[in-house]
Amino acid sequence: MIILNNVSFSYDKGKEILHDINLHIRKGEKTALIGANGAGKSTLIKALVGLISVTGSIAVSGMEVSRKNLAAIRQKTGLVLQNSDNQMFMPTVYDDMRFGPLNYGISGEETERRIDEVLEKLEISSLKNRQNHKLSGGEKKMASIATILVMDPDTVIMDEPCSSLDPYNRRKVINIIKSLDKTLLIASHDLDMILETCERTLIMKDGRIVADGQTKELLKNRELLENNRLELPLKYQL
Ligand SMILES: Nc1ncnc2c1ncn2[C@@H]1O[C@H](COP(=O)(O)OP(=O)(O)O)[C@@H](O)[C@H]1O
Ligand SMILES: [Mg+2]
């Protein structure tokens, strides 16, 4: 469902940010991507949806990531951006939620049904007609997750889904992630959330995947985490 073969990338000539990454994530697998600031997590995510073009090859949701497939890739692959301001670009939450489905030919009636269903699931029906620029950071984050779920993608990629959420909303998002029957890749520093939601974890350092294994094994390994500027989840500190 997500396959990378020999993927390398530089923003500017000279400094390579991703170094020869090989990765295979199976359909339905929930995988975490962790690592220090600047490790390359967001860059890797941008590559997966074709926002940057890399050397090597990438396939997501059963399609090669290439210019001619970008529209189809984005229909099947939902990306929750770290900064929701870059995700919500229409006047209201409702407008943003309609944009994707209508753009991809889902009927108006079905779109309305999905919008109400997703808003209810996220318990944010009250945000439906609110103006995006007046939402708080956490409200905007919840709304940006809604715009992705309403597309019903096969693969969901999230860059810091719980940042700026209060504990109640964080818990809600964790439960929703757990209930999603989709291929999932989550980049986050919230290792307790990762422990609950992802069976597999990848650790990135300086543009390389330096560890790949079962979350509950890797996140117990204090030395491995500290070598990668991470620390034990609270659950394991007690
Ligand atoms: N648009 C850009 N132009 C040049 N360098 C960038 C750009 N975006 C990120 N970088 C650099 O790429 C490296 C990896 O960044 P990023 O993928 O955002 O890391 P992470 O998400 O793991 O914190 C960092 O050194 C960062 O400064
Ligand atoms: Mg990042």
Side-chain angles (χ1 to χ4, degrees):
M1 257 301 178
I2 299 181
I3 300 168
L4 286 85
N5 286 317
N6 306 111
V7 168
S8 297
F9 175 76
S10 327
Y11 285 103
D12 314 303
K13 278 182 221 76
K15 190 170 186 298
E16 204 174 66
I17 302 292
L18 302 177
H19 307 285
D20 196 28
I21 295 188
N22 289 286
L23 176 64
H24 191 158
I25 295 176
R26 286 184 301 277
K27 187 170 160 60
E29 200 168 33
K30 294 190 167 89
T31 304
L33 182 61
I34 65 176
N37 293 138
K41 305 179 296 296
S42 296
T43 302
L44 181 64
I45 284 174
K46 281 186 222 165
L48 293 178
V49 290
L51 289 173
I52 55 174
S53 63
V54 299
T55 61
S57 67
I58 303 182
V60 176
S61 305
M63 281 169 286
E64 187 80 15
V65 178
S66 66
R67 194 153 299 180
K68 71 174 176 24
N69 283 342
L70 280 194
I73 295 271
R74 291 197 186 143
Q75 180 176 17
K76 299 242 174 260
T77 309
L79 171 60
V80 176
L81 297 170
Q82 181 159 10
N83 181 352
S84 313
D85 287 331
N86 296 336
Q87 184 129 13
M88 308 296 287
F89 55 90
M90 302 288 280
T92 68
V93 173
Y94 172 70
D95 297 328
D96 257 312
M97 289 186 76
R98 289 174 80 214
F99 182 84
L102 293 183
N103 208 21
Y104 283 103
I106 311 289
S107 74
E109 201 179 340
E110 169 65 7
T111 299
E112 295 298 317
R113 192 195 65 71
R114 286 193 194 181
I115 289 174
D116 289 332
E117 182 183 81
V118 168
L119 288 171
E120 224 158 277
K121 188 169 176 187
L122 291 169
E123 298 177 39
I124 53 168
S125 299
S126 62
L127 300 184
K128 182 171 175 179
N129 294 307
R130 292 276 303 279
Q131 294 187 325
N132 283 322
H133 74 277
K134 292 188 183 163
L135 298 178
S136 76
E139 287 171 336
K140 214 177 280 179
K141 179 65 95 173
M142 293 299 285
S144 75
I145 294 172
T147 65
I148 296 309
L149 295 186
V150 81
M151 288 289 289
D152 193 25
D154 294 344
T155 307
V156 177
I157 300 169
M158 299 175 144
D159 202 352
E160 285 294 353
C162 291
S163 64
S164 72
L165 296 185
D166 64 26
Y168 184 84
N169 277 331
R170 173 177 175 275
R171 175 54 45 199
K172 216 156 53 186
V173 169
I174 289 175
N175 289 338
I176 285 165
I177 291 172
K178 284 160 98 169
S179 74
L180 285 179
D181 187 16
K182 298 183 185 299
T183 309
L184 208 83
L185 182 69
I186 306 178
S188 181
H189 297 295
D190 182 346
L191 300 190
D192 284 276
M193 180 267 289
I194 299 273
L195 204 50
E196 276 196 63
T197 53
C198 296
E199 60 262 28
R200 177 177 176 192
T201 290
L202 311 167
I203 302 182
M204 263 190 106
K205 184 181 192 180
D206 300 334
R208 292 188 168 83
I209 293 172
V210 295
D212 176 357
Q214 277 197 23
T215 302
K216 57 181 193 294
E217 298 305 323
L218 295 192
L219 295 194
K220 256 198 290 225
N221 187 334
R222 182 190 296 266
E223 196 185 335
L224 174 69
L225 294 172
E226 288 178 357
N227 285 339
N228 289 287
R229 299 178 44 155
L230 299 163
E231 62 180 15
L232 286 174
L234 289 174
K235 187 175 169 203
Y236 290 151
Q237 289 179 21
L238 301 174

